[in-house]
Amino acid sequence: MHTALIQLINVVAILLFVVFGAALLTWVERRLLGIWQDRYGPNRVGPLGSLQIVADMIKLLMKQDWVPPFADRLVFIVAPAIAMFVVVAAFAVIPMAPGIGVIDLNIGLLFFLAMTSLGVYAVMFGAYASDNKYALLGGLRAAAQMVSYEVFMGLSLMGVVMLAGSFNLRELVLAQADGWFIVPQFVGFMIFFVAGIAESHRTPFDLPEAEHELTAGFHTEYSGMKFAMFFLGEYVSVLMTAAMITVLFLGGWLGPAWLPPLFWFLLKTTLLVLSMILIRGALPRPRYDQLMAFGWKVMLPLALINLLATGALKLM
Amino acid sequence: MLQRVLHISYLIWDYLYSNLLTLWTVASHTFSKADTVEYPDQMPYLAPRFRGRIVLTRDPSGEERCVACNLCASACPTDCIALQKTEDETGRWSAEYFRINFSRCVFCGLCEEACPTYAIQLTQDFELAEYQRQNLVYEKHHLLIDGPGKHPDYSFYELSGKAVSGRAKGAGKLEAPPVDVKSLLP
Ligand code: SF4
Ligand code: SF4
């Protein structure tokens, strides 16, 4: 009974943390982009503008729940739900600190990879159901991009798995007690970082929604809460990628004992999120063929070489 | 082979370097001051020749400067000035009505340039927003101000040589008396 209650609190707290964290992230990102572009960003609602998310939420909730008459109704409605579901489900396996985490799966890493792979369905369904040229082009790009970046995203993590000898994320963190995996697996870290940004399709890998060419890409026809779900899904997946990098390469909650483990986890995750926002603010979007060439001709060979080298070193 | 390897390593370095430089440049803006002028709280700097709301001015003696010549209306590219000439008992011309539709005005300032009497002038006021479009149509009593605006000393009737009652031709301040052309006959 007691453990069940604790687990329930855990689940609810983490769900709220994820959703509100992602909502807050929209404000943080806009403020930071503003600061880096020598302006202020949203600073009017509430202290420093932090209540902007409330205003945005009210606005999106009040909007008409509109399904275009030419859309494939069922798929159109299901797509944003998938987008939200897969990222939140993937968050479930992330161990935040000893005793904090929704579920402790033996194959947590595989579950994470599976869930991020499912994310492509949200984009594809949304694009297909919209019956819109821009959406279709966005969906095509998203499918190609996510499929090709998935390949080496998985491969880049296998080096870590090899070193720790486990797919369990908690054990992966504990295996880093005497040295974070970012040092022996720096290449893996870089590749996963790039793939993570591509998976959450953010600039410079935001070709599926490239505003300048495709209006809004796969979510062109979406508005109101359904749009918000896509949007929030993207931000949750940013958080998720950052948390995953923390767990896999930066020693998760490990850190000097004078602060609680959860603090270390959140600190590392926050720094990673900030760096992802910086990348969004600074780097331009490549052309579509450049993106594919980069994935298949640079990242995939790098990931394979990294895997090979790690295996060889492990055997020696 | 070696050359190829060197070339590829150079390319990798080049790409990495340029991207890292971009990241650094953007990150260094964290501490630079924002260029934003937070407008309703803080007035932006307006240039002295800023072109905003249009006024009709008066000459130093307090009379309306506008002589209803219609030059501004014909210069206006958006045709948003409408006026009608009238004449008082002294022979002075003025506008019976003078109407500017600010929902069409583009604040180009051509009316000001066309005006021979410096009557119509653009000011620095740009806060013209209205809830109803009809309220953007300004009539003469909205436009007319009490002062001379720019060119405070200019008075058309003192310089133009036109006779109005109370002052004959050539009686103005800077005017020479009219020449009797017949006196030039041999
Ligand atoms: S500023 Fe230009 S558009 Fe406006 S009234 Fe004068 S001439 Fe017309
Ligand atoms: S404002 Fe100037 S240009 Fe226009 S009618 Fe009057 S005198 Fe003529």
Side-chain angles (χ1 to χ4, degrees), chain B residues 56 66-72 83 98 115-117 119-120:
Chain B
L56 288 176
C66 176
V67 295
C69 67
N70 262 309
L71 285 178
C72 53
L83 65 129
F98 197 108
C115 181
T117 65
I120 194 164

Side-chain angles (χ1 to χ4, degrees), chain A residues 161-210:
Chain A
V161 174
M162 240 185 246
L163 289 180
S166 168
F167 273 115
N168 184 316
L169 291 170
R170 269 180 203 283
E171 284 173 24
L172 275 169
V173 172
L174 293 176
Q176 301 177 57
D178 33 73
W180 295 353
F181 283 153
I182 186 172
V183 182
Q185 283 294 312
F186 187 71
V187 180
F189 163 76
M190 292 302 280
I191 296 171
F192 184 72
F193 196 68
V194 170
I197 298 178
E199 279 295 316
S200 47
H201 28 86
R202 285 169 55 80
T203 331
F205 297 100
D206 65 340
L207 281 110
E209 44 198 282

Side-chain angles (χ1 to χ4, degrees), chain B residues 4-87:
Chain B
R4 241 184 109 73
V5 170
L6 278 179
H7 181 64
I8 290 178
S9 349
Y10 168 73
L11 279 184
I12 293 174
W13 162 247
D14 195 40
Y15 287 145
L16 269 183
Y17 174 72
S18 83
N19 279 333
L20 289 177
L21 191 67
T22 313
L23 287 176
W24 167 248
T25 314
V26 172
S28 69
H29 276 257
T30 313
F31 303 106
S32 58
K33 208 175 142 334
D35 290 327
T36 314
V37 179
E38 291 193 273
Y39 156 57
D41 303 337
Q42 197 185 344
M43 250 340 236
Y45 166 74
L46 295 178
R49 296 189 191 182
F50 185 92
R51 301 194 301 266
R53 180 169 59 88
I54 298 172
V55 293
L56 288 176
T57 57
R58 293 174 188 274
D59 65 16
S61 56
E63 301 283 344
E64 288 171 24
R65 269 177 174 162
C66 176
V67 295
C69 67
N70 262 309
L71 285 178
C72 53
S74 55
C76 177
T78 63
D79 264 351
C80 65
I81 303 180
L83 65 129
Q84 173 65 54
K85 180 214 124 186
T86 181
E87 196 174 336

Side-chain angles (χ1 to χ4, degrees), chain A residues 240-254:
Chain A
M240 183 188 72
T241 309
M244 210 60 199
I245 297 173
T246 310
V247 167
L248 293 173
F249 295 99
L250 299 178
W253 65 78
L254 301 174

Side-chain angles (χ1 to χ4, degrees), chain B residues 132-150:
Chain B
Q132 273 164 12
R133 201 172 293 183
Q134 189 57 40
N135 293 348
L136 284 167
V137 177
Y138 280 42
E139 294 294 340
K140 188 171 167 187
H141 60 276
H142 300 125
L143 296 166
L144 203 60
I145 61 168
D146 284 339
K150 309 167 205 173

